[in-house]
Amino acid sequence: MSDAPLKGVRVIELARILAGPWAGQLLADLGADVIKIEKPGSGDDTRQWGPPFVSGANGENLSAAYYHSTNRGKRSVAVDIATPEGAETVRRLVADADILIENFKVGGLAKYGLDYASLRKLNPRLVYCSITGFGQTGPYASRAGYDFIIQAMAGMMSITGEKDREPQKAGVAISDIFTGLYAVIAIQAALRHAEQTGAGQHIDMALMDTQAGILGNQNLNYLVSGIAPIQMGNAHMNIAPYEVFPLADGHVILAVGNDGQFQRLCALLDAENLASDPDFATNPLRVKSRERLRAELIDRLANWTKAAFLAACEAHAVPAGPINTIAEMFDDPQIKARGLQMQIADRDGTAIPAVRAPILLPASPLVYDRPSPRLGEHTEEVLAELGAKAGKELDEDQ
């Protein structure tokens, strides 16, 4: 078994809240040494974004659950970059780093000498990743970016929620999280380029770009038809039946993606008339006649229980599933079998809950040996490393 994929890679994280820290956390999972720079006294804003808060063995407040969702595996260094000494500390760290992640407003780090143009002079191979709401260019570049607003502006909310009801955002900050993921992809590509050429580059990641880009088939539905998709609740614009259906004791998801699956659904429901109905013969016809099809299926499902229907669907190879709460999700045997839920021991023995990254690399497994750091927990450690490095360089120069 080899080392983690990014062992030996050093990341300086000048980021807070979600998108930047999400990227930093995944890089840490992949084995990178991620040094999180935090403001003394307060640190990352999400440390206070609770309740709930994690309590230490002695009752100490170890920060909000939100913070722990996106900061495991890192080392925290508390320095004030607004001071000359703090900015110089970061520059010294960057001089020997591979990657820097920041999510300040466009140009916000220039006054501290921590912008890409300044730092590339210290470290030409530096991969410098900027994450902002709207990117480094364009008429909105100077605006602050918030996931909720981005979901609205980039089309997500126009297709989320029930028809003729208030538009809805997703239940998690998807533009932040997806931007963090795309940032890791870009960082690894740029790191590969730097290893081959010795030249780093400035990565420009924008929440708006990401949210627009991940609309997938809905984007092409519009670009091909000229008709903007609308809110359809749980229904699918391109497939039917593919939505939530009520049963005698609750609701389930039915996701019939092809004609064979539809025929098998009709067989388990003993609905030969639906199977032979010309309006339901193909998926395009079922989409066209979705309202009548839904009414027919609701009538036939009324007396089924969730357990019986899901068992019948599995037996007939018809895609269907329960609608779990998050508690039920963590109790699902598949989630348990895959080991998604973890605990990582804090320095005082406190078990910090965590969810592993959805990546399994058997030859070079990810690492989960460090919980989210306490504010400034590693300041002395990292500064001592800088001092030792400076002393070694002085000895070599003499």
Side-chain angles (χ1 to χ4, degrees):
M1 185 179 294
S2 63
D3 291 326
L6 297 184
K7 183 178 180 180
V9 172
R10 173 161 288 187
V11 181
I12 308 303
E13 182 185 295
L14 282 169
R16 58 230 182 270
I17 314 297
L18 186 50
W22 195 264
Q25 177 172 266
L26 184 52
L27 291 169
D29 290 345
L30 290 166
D33 176 21
V34 180
I35 299 174
K36 184 178 182 69
I37 306 299
E38 299 192 75
K39 185 176 182 180
S42 57
D44 191 309
D45 296 9
T46 61
R47 288 183 179 275
Q48 289 77 46
W49 282 15
F53 293 90
V54 174
S55 295
N58 60 358
E60 178 185 1
N61 183 338
L62 299 184
S63 298
Y66 194 121
Y67 166 78
H68 288 281
S69 73
T70 188
N71 284 291
R72 68 165 172 262
K74 306 174 185 179
R75 296 196 286 172
S76 172
V77 173
V79 297
D80 186 355
I81 66 170
T83 67
E85 297 80 10
E88 179 59 25
T89 295
V90 174
R91 282 192 288 271
R92 291 175 64 199
L93 287 169
V94 168
D96 194 38
D98 301 285
I99 299 159
L100 183 143
I101 303 171
E102 62 92 8
N103 65 348
F104 284 71
K105 289 183 179 180
V106 173
L109 288 174
K111 59 186 174 182
Y112 308 123
L114 300 176
D115 56 306
Y116 177 63
S118 298
L119 294 182
R120 69 183 298 187
K121 298 174 184 176
L122 295 174
N123 184 349
R125 62 183 177 80
L126 180 67
V127 173
Y128 188 108
C129 181
S130 293
I131 300 176
T132 58
F134 300 95
Q136 301 293 305
T137 60
Y140 303 157
S142 63
R143 295 186 186 181
Y146 298 92
D147 175 89
F148 194 3
I149 294 173
I150 297 295
Q151 287 195 41
M153 293 181 68
M156 179 66 184
M157 290 179 62
S158 74
I159 56 173
T160 306
E162 296 291 337
K163 184 179 179 180
D164 300 324
R165 299 288 297 273
E166 179 180 274
Q168 294 290 310
K169 66 177 180 65
V172 294
I174 59 169
S175 69
D176 274 317
I177 289 174
F178 270 92
T179 303
L181 295 177
Y182 273 109
V184 170
I185 296 169
I187 285 168
Q188 291 182 107
L191 190 61
R192 173 76 167 163
H193 174 81
E195 290 170 345
Q196 293 175 327
T197 67
Q201 57 188 296
H202 187 188
I203 300 170
D204 178 4
M205 300 297 306
L207 272 64
M208 183 82 159
D209 294 356
T210 298
Q211 182 63 80
I214 65 172
L215 295 184
N217 61 295
Q218 295 286 37
N219 282 336
L220 269 291
N221 286 335
Y222 166 69
L223 293 175
V224 170
S225 71
I227 301 172
I230 61 172
Q231 293 167 258
M232 296 181 63
N234 290 308
H236 195 292
M237 184 176 186
N238 304 110
I239 312 171
Y242 199 100
E243 55 190 294
V244 173
F245 284 93
L247 302 182
D249 60 346
H251 294 79
V252 296
I253 297 290
L254 192 57
V256 175
N258 60 51
D259 298 338
Q261 291 170 357
F262 180 71
Q263 291 296 319
R264 294 195 294 274
L265 172 66
C266 293
L268 78 87
L269 293 177
D270 194 22
E272 174 58 33
N273 62 320
L274 299 185
S276 60
D277 192 316
D279 287 346
F280 306 147
T282 66
N283 180 70
L285 292 171
R286 291 193 296 276
V287 169
K288 185 177 180 180
S289 302
R290 70 166 70 243
E291 292 185 8
R292 184 168 75 86
L293 176 59
R294 176 175 173 79
E296 294 275 10
L297 290 174
I298 287 175
D299 183 60
R300 285 163 176 78
L301 292 169
N303 295 322
W304 284 81
T305 64
K306 290 188 291 184
F309 181 68
L310 291 173
C313 285
E314 184 167 358
H316 286 76
V318 174
I323 302 172
N324 289 333
T325 65
I326 292 178
E328 290 169 333
M329 177 272 289
F330 278 117
D331 197 43
D332 188 287
Q334 181 67 18
I335 295 294
K336 289 182 174 180
R338 299 288 289 177
L340 269 294
Q341 184 176 352
M342 306 185 302
Q343 290 185 334
I344 306 174
D346 183 69
R347 67 187 188 193
D348 66 4
T350 302
I352 309 294
V355 179
R356 73 163 176 83
I359 298 172
L360 293 176
L361 296 174
S364 51
L366 280 64
V367 292
Y368 306 105
D369 57 3
R370 192 194 298 271
S372 305
R374 303 180 188 207
L375 177 58
E377 179 178 351
H378 304 95
T379 303
E380 292 185 6
E381 174 182 295
V382 172
L383 293 183
E385 291 172 2
L386 274 181
K389 179 176 181 293
K392 181 179 179 181
E393 290 173 346
L394 182 61
D395 290 341
E396 291 174 347
D397 290 341
Q398 291 177 345

